[in-house]
């Protein structure tokens, strides 16, 4: 098996061949108004970051249009809502500003990829502009774009991600409480945690 592992870029390129010309030509360093339409329609984005403790990929979501695009398409503003305060993504951004974003639009199989550098803004006016239910984000992630391109729909088509007939119910999978109870050898009361979760979400969503 050890001899069946690719060890060089030359080996990799020999196995896969040349990239499709459009896959290279479509990349820009900024968002056009057509790219911005995907951001404005997206209620969900994955944020990938890198830091000294490793990699992180974190979901972010709000009503569609929650990420804003500057007029010249070179800056994105992403509010950071209340979470569990692990701050994995934010710690990475502070020490290594490189980020990659993947925007999804429900029902649409084309996705939008944005790479760039990020910093965390605590500007009060900017934070207030993202208020929901009177709650301000603690920070706003400000992304300066370096690469922007659409991702072809093959992955979402193959996965049938948006097909309601294939959607699963949460009851078919373990809950957070059940997982915590398992990894703590029963010291954590998973049933109580799960029972209280709907009210906890209601009070802490923003």
């Amino acid at each position: 098996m050890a001899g069946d592992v690719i060890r060089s870029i030359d080996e990799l390129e020999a196995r896969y061949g040349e990239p499709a010309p459009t896959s290279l030509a479509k990349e820009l360093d900024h968002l056009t108004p057509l790219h911005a339409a995907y951001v404005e329609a997206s209620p969900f984005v994955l944020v990938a970051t890198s830091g000294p403790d490793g990699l992180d990929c974190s979901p972010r979501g709000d009503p569609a249009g929650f990420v804003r695009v500057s007029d010249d398409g070179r800056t994105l503003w992403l509010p950071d809502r209340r979470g569990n305060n692990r701050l994995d993504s934010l710690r990475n951004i502070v020490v290594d500003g490189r980020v990659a974003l993947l925007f999804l639009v429900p029902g649409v199989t084309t996705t939008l990829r944005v790479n760039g550098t990020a910093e965390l803004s605590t500007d009060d006016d900017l934070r207030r502009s993202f208020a929901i239910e009177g709650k301000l984000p603690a920070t706003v992630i400000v992304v300066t774009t370096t690469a922007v391109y659409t991702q072809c729909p093959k992955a979402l088509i193959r996965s049938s991600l948006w097909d309601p007939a294939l959607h699963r119910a949460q009851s078919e999978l373990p809950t957070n409480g059940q997982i915590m109870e398992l990894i703590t050898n029963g010291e954590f009361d998973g049933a109580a945690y799960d029972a209280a979760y709907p009210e906890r979400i209601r009070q802490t969503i923003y």
Side-chain angles (χ1 to χ4, degrees), residues 76-96:
L76 298 175
W77 293 278
L78 167 59
D80 190 69
R81 301 295 181 191
R82 186 172 180 174
N84 56 21
N85 284 346
R86 279 183 57 109
L87 309 180
D88 295 314
S89 299
L90 305 188
R91 292 179 195 278
N92 283 349
I93 288 172
V94 168
V95 297
D96 181 346

Side-chain angles (χ1 to χ4, degrees), residues 3-200:
D4 297 328
V5 176
I6 291 175
R7 302 292 184 186
S8 71
I9 298 299
D10 287 342
E11 290 180 84
L12 177 67
E13 292 178 346
R15 175 162 289 268
Y16 281 91
E18 295 294 322
T22 53
S23 71
L24 302 178
K26 67 182 178 181
E27 181 178 331
L28 297 175
D29 63 359
H30 65 283
L31 290 93
T32 69
L34 300 183
H35 293 114
Y38 278 85
V39 177
E40 292 160 2
S42 174
F44 183 81
V45 60
L46 294 167
V47 181
T49 59
S50 176
D53 295 326
L55 305 176
D56 184 71
C57 186
S58 177
R60 295 290 192 277
D62 249 340
F66 75 104
V67 179
R68 298 178 190 159
V69 182
S70 65
D71 290 340
D72 64 2
R74 297 181 183 276
T75 305
L76 298 175
W77 293 278
L78 167 59
D80 190 69
R81 301 295 181 191
R82 186 172 180 174
N84 56 21
N85 284 346
R86 279 183 57 109
L87 309 180
D88 295 314
S89 299
L90 305 188
R91 292 179 195 278
N92 283 349
I93 288 172
V94 168
V95 297
D96 181 346
R98 293 176 298 168
V99 296
L101 311 179
L102 179 66
F103 290 91
L104 284 82
V105 179
V108 176
T109 52
T110 296
T111 57
L112 180 72
R113 297 175 65 167
V114 177
N115 297 337
T117 58
E119 58 186 11
L120 305 180
S121 175
T122 59
D123 180 82
D124 287 339
D125 288 338
L126 182 60
R127 291 169 54 236
R128 274 193 289 269
S129 74
F130 284 100
I132 291 183
E133 298 179 3
K135 306 290 181 60
L136 279 62
T139 61
V140 175
I141 302 172
V142 183
V143 177
T144 301
T145 64
T146 57
V148 176
Y149 50 98
T150 52
Q151 178 74 42
C152 80
K154 290 188 182 74
L156 271 69
I157 291 173
R158 286 191 290 251
S159 67
S160 299
L161 182 64
W162 303 127
D163 184 351
L166 298 178
H167 290 181
R168 304 286 293 275
Q170 178 64 59
S171 59
E172 298 179 76
L173 295 170
T175 65
N176 288 331
Q178 289 169 335
I179 293 170
M180 284 294 297
E181 187 166 324
L182 174 67
I183 64 178
T184 61
N185 295 316
E187 295 180 9
F188 186 87
D189 189 340
Y193 179 87
D194 290 336
Y197 194 71
E199 178 61 18
R200 187 162 59 251

